[in-house]
Amino acid sequence: MLELHLDDFDAYKIAQSGQCFRMRVQPDGSVFAMAGAHAVALWPLKGGGWRFSCERQMFDSFWRPYFDLDADYARYRARAYRKDSFLQQAFLEGAGLRILRQDAWETLVSFIISQRKSIPAISTAVEALCRACGQPALGEPGAYAFPSAQTLAQKDEAFLRACGLGYRAPYVLDAAKRVASGRLNLAALGEKKTPALCAALQQVHGVGEKVALCVALFGYHRLEACPVDVWMRRVLDTQYGGAMPARYRACAGVLQQYLFCLARSRRLR
C-alpha cells in the first residue's frame, strides 16, 4: 500500500466523469481502476490523500502518468475568463478532475460502444467484453485485461452482440480487423495533427466526429479536442452562443470535462 497526498486529484470525480469505463466506485467507498492489464484500488484518506494498492515503482512508472499527475491543471483553469461564472462554478464542483492518459486501442473500442448508451450501460458492456476475451489480470482475482485487437478480430458479430454491444458489434469488429491487420496503425496516428488523426479514425465504420474527438482527447491526450455530446451542446448553446470561446480552444478538452460534469449534475436543459 502506498499513501500519498496529491494536489488537485479526486478519483471519485474522475471515475464518474464519463472519460473512462473501467474505473468504478465500489460499495466500500474505494475506487477500482483497470487500465490494459493493470489494476489498482484507491481509498480516500483524511485530509485529502489517497491510498493506492500498489508499490511506489508501479505508481511512478504507470499510475502517475496514467492519472496525468505531473500536469498543472491550475494552468488550464487560468485560461477561463473571471466573469465566466458558469465555468468558474464548474471548476469548484469539478476540483480534482484530470484527463486520463488512456491506451488508444482501449479508448477507441470503449467509445464505439458508448454510442447511445448510459455510462453504467457502457461500463457493463466493456466489462463483459473483457471477461469474455481478456486475460486474467495478475494479482487481481476476477479482473480481466482489455482484449487485444488480434483477439477481437477473431470473433464474430454474434459473439460481440452477446457481450451487450448490440448494433455496435460490427463497428468494433471492423476496428479490430483494421488494427490487427495494420491497416489502422494507432501508434503512427499519434504523429498526426489532431484534424488528420480524427479523419483517420473516422475511416472505421461507426466512428463519427464525436467518437473520433473522444479518442483524440482521452486516447491521445489532445487537449484541444472537444467532443460535443448532448450535455456539452446544451452548455455551448446556453452559455457560449453555440461555440467555445477562442481563448479556451487550446485546452478545450480539459475545460469540457469540468463543463460536462457540471451540466450533468445540474441536469442542464
Side-chain angles (χ1 to χ4, degrees):
M1 293 292 182
L2 181 65
E3 294 188 359
L4 298 167
H5 288 271
L6 303 171
D7 294 330
D8 212 358
F9 174 78
D10 190 321
Y12 289 134
K13 292 177 183 176
I14 296 170
Q16 298 166 346
S17 67
Q19 61 176 296
C20 172
F21 307 108
R22 304 204 73 196
M23 188 174 177
R24 303 182 300 277
V25 179
Q26 303 293 86
D28 65 357
S30 65
V31 177
F32 181 76
M34 281 288 302
H38 300 287
V40 70
L42 298 84
W43 290 267
L45 301 172
K46 292 181 178 179
W50 292 86
R51 179 184 295 123
F52 289 75
S53 65
C54 64
E55 297 179 350
R56 168 66 74 168
Q57 182 179 4
M58 176 56 72
F59 175 81
D60 286 339
S61 64
F62 187 84
W63 294 112
R64 176 181 288 279
Y66 179 78
F67 287 119
D68 202 29
L69 292 173
D70 290 326
D72 180 7
Y73 277 66
R75 179 167 58 90
Y76 305 134
R77 294 193 295 271
R79 283 186 171 268
Y81 292 109
R82 292 185 179 181
K83 293 184 178 180
D84 187 343
S85 58
F86 190 86
L87 185 51
Q88 295 295 342
Q89 183 61 38
F91 291 156
L92 291 175
E93 294 197 20
L97 282 170
R98 288 177 175 268
I99 303 295
L100 301 175
R101 291 181 176 271
Q102 300 180 66
D103 174 74
W105 163 244
E106 185 169 340
T107 308
L108 174 59
V109 173
S110 297
F111 279 95
I112 290 175
I113 293 171
S114 77
Q115 298 175 80
R116 298 185 182 275
K117 273 182 175 284
S118 67
I119 291 176
I122 302 164
S123 297
T124 297
V126 169
E127 198 59 37
L129 191 66
C130 294
R131 287 181 175 275
C133 305
Q135 295 294 318
L138 295 176
E140 292 291 340
Y144 294 83
F146 197 85
S148 68
Q150 289 73 18
T151 296
L152 291 187
Q154 297 173 8
K155 306 301 180 181
D156 57 24
E157 286 187 26
F159 180 93
L160 297 180
R161 287 179 185 274
C163 294
L165 273 60
Y167 72 86
R168 307 154 198 83
Y171 304 157
V172 170
L173 190 58
D174 181 63
K177 289 181 177 179
R178 287 174 184 266
V179 173
S181 68
R183 284 183 291 151
L184 182 65
N185 187 328
L186 295 178
L189 291 188
E191 303 299 319
K192 294 182 178 290
K193 293 184 178 180
T194 300
L197 165 64
C198 290
L201 290 170
Q202 289 182 70
Q203 297 302 306
V204 177
H205 296 319
V207 175
E209 181 181 23
K210 175 180 169 287
V211 169
L213 286 168
C214 286
V215 178
L217 175 59
F218 303 126
Y220 289 92
H221 214 68
R222 301 299 176 85
L223 301 185
E224 73 278 15
C226 184
V228 177
D229 70 344
V230 63
W231 295 108
M232 274 303 296
R233 175 46 56 198
R234 291 171 185 169
V235 169
L236 294 177
D237 288 346
T238 61
Q239 304 296 321
Y240 300 109
M244 189 77 81
R247 176 172 172 172
Y248 297 173
R249 288 174 189 164
C251 60
V254 178
L255 303 185
Q256 178 259 10
Q257 273 293 278
Y258 291 107
L259 293 167
F260 169 81
C261 291
L262 180 61
R264 277 207 315 151
S265 70
R266 289 189 177 184
R267 309 296 296 179
L268 188 68
R269 295 186 180 274

